[in-house]
Amino acid sequence: MWSTLLHNNTMWVLLSTAILGIAAGVIGCLAYWKKQNLMSDALSHAALPGVVIAFFIIGEKNLLLLVIGAAASALFGALLIQWITGSSRITEDTAMGMVLSVFYGVGVMLLSIANRSAGGNQSGLDSFIYGQAAAMVRSDVVTMMVLAGIVIFIVFIGFKEWKLYLFDASFAKGIGMSIRGMNALYTLILVTTIVIGIQAVGVILMAAMLIIPAVSARYWTHSFRSMILLSATFGGISGAVGSWISSTGSGLPTGPFIVVASAAFFIISLLFGKEKGIIVGYIQFKVQQRNSSELLAIKDGDAS
């Protein structure tokens, strides 16, 4: 087993996807409380044209430069969503859906052109659709780990500020915190998390990596701090497990396996989570029902 893990940098890939999962779990909690889960889906799809355009410009697959192109495209998509929402009667979720589908359509079109160009079909750009962590080289892994580490550091170093920003924006503004600046920082770290993960997970499934761990963690706690820690744990384990399963076969896409691993955590949380888990809730209901019956029987006995 260990020889398999250490072969072809697989251990480094597992570590990078684990750190990516941690970052996605942390940022997913912010998106959850901002009620912008669809935003992560829209921006992940909006990143695809930037990847291909960057490839056209540099002519090679350099992850850092492709990430810069993806970030520029995703940020443009975010600005476009804000502009459409602010200058028309179109609601935010409709604007997100429009940007998602249009940008993704343009990205697929450009990708098909790139694959027909000289050397394009050997570039590995198709891995950005469904993800292929095994295709990453050492420099890709280092880039991903560094950027994910920066995102995690930004959230934890400003934990109190993020808590005020999400739950009491009026008070935060009253004490001098810049809400516009926090919005810009939130968008920046959200985009960064998305673009560094699209090669490993893919643009289609990157949103699931942000959303599912946060929702799963919500079934276990009411505490924001505990939710972030749990979501990071779920995301990190899912990233490592999904990447390891993908590495055991040839050409297996990483994203679907990571999402399946995340879904397993969600199902367990849905059933057994102590905060409104289905089975736990049913057991609690039955216990309360039995206690009520016993209390009623005691009262009836006293009355007689």
Side-chain angles (χ1 to χ4, degrees):
M1 175 180 177
W2 288 108
S3 61
T4 302
L5 288 176
L6 294 172
H7 183 63
N8 291 332
N9 294 328
T10 305
M11 179 64 80
W12 284 99
V13 172
L14 291 180
L15 182 59
S16 67
T17 50
I19 294 177
L20 171 64
I22 292 171
V26 170
I27 303 305
C29 289
L30 305 186
Y32 175 89
W33 287 111
K34 276 188 67 65
K35 297 179 174 60
Q36 286 192 338
N37 289 325
L38 183 59
M39 176 67 84
S40 59
D41 198 18
L43 296 186
S44 62
H45 284 74
L48 183 59
V51 171
V52 187
I53 292 173
F55 175 77
F56 281 140
I57 294 173
I58 63 178
E60 62 179 356
K61 186 184 175 185
N62 182 304
L63 183 62
L64 180 59
L65 297 178
L66 295 184
V67 162
I68 293 174
S73 180
L75 285 172
F76 179 66
L79 293 175
L80 191 58
I81 290 171
Q82 294 177 3
W83 178 77
I84 292 173
T85 304
S87 61
S88 68
R89 295 182 179 180
I90 297 175
T91 59
E92 186 178 45
D93 59 338
T94 303
M96 290 178 188
M98 292 169 58
V99 168
L100 182 156
S101 45
V102 171
F103 274 65
Y104 183 66
V106 172
V108 171
M109 179 190 68
L110 293 175
L111 185 61
S112 64
I113 296 173
N115 285 336
R116 294 179 181 178
S117 63
N121 58 346
Q122 302 296 325
S123 64
L125 290 180
D126 286 337
S127 63
F128 286 93
I129 301 294
Y130 297 107
Q132 186 62 59
M136 294 190 298
V137 298
R138 182 69 64 88
S139 60
D140 297 341
V141 170
V142 171
T143 299
M144 180 184 294
M145 291 174 62
V146 169
L147 292 177
I150 292 173
V151 167
I152 296 170
F153 177 77
I154 289 174
V155 173
F156 279 95
I157 198 68
F159 178 78
K160 293 181 180 179
E161 288 76 12
W162 287 112
K163 195 171 182 179
L164 285 174
Y165 166 70
L166 292 172
F167 298 105
D168 199 344
S170 298
F171 177 74
K173 188 175 182 179
I175 62 174
M177 184 183 298
S178 172
I179 301 301
R180 179 175 295 181
M182 292 298 292
N183 281 330
L185 183 59
Y186 162 75
T187 302
L188 180 62
I189 60 176
L190 176 63
V191 168
T192 302
T193 306
I194 289 171
V195 299
I196 62 176
I198 56 176
Q199 182 178 8
V201 182
V203 297
I204 295 178
L205 297 175
M206 185 60 208
M209 200 169 181
L210 287 159
I211 297 169
I212 297 178
V215 174
S216 301
R218 188 68 179 91
Y219 278 96
W220 295 98
T221 180
H222 285 303
S223 166
F224 181 56
R225 182 187 298 272
S226 298
M227 180 180 173
I228 286 182
L229 293 175
L230 277 173
S231 181
T233 301
F234 293 158
I237 295 175
S238 299
V241 170
S243 182
W244 176 74
I245 296 174
S246 173
S247 68
T248 59
S250 177
L252 294 178
T254 309
F257 289 104
I258 292 179
V259 172
V260 169
S262 297
F265 279 112
F266 172 72
I267 292 172
I268 293 172
S269 301
L270 177 65
L271 295 176
F272 301 104
K274 70 184 186 68
E275 302 295 342
K276 297 184 179 181
I278 293 175
I279 293 178
V280 172
Y282 178 77
I283 293 173
Q284 291 174 346
F285 171 74
K286 284 298 183 181
V287 170
Q288 291 175 358
Q289 190 178 49
R290 186 185 64 184
N291 291 339
S292 298
S293 300
E294 291 176 353
L295 182 60
L296 183 60
I298 292 173
K299 289 182 178 180
D300 290 342
D302 292 340
S304 61

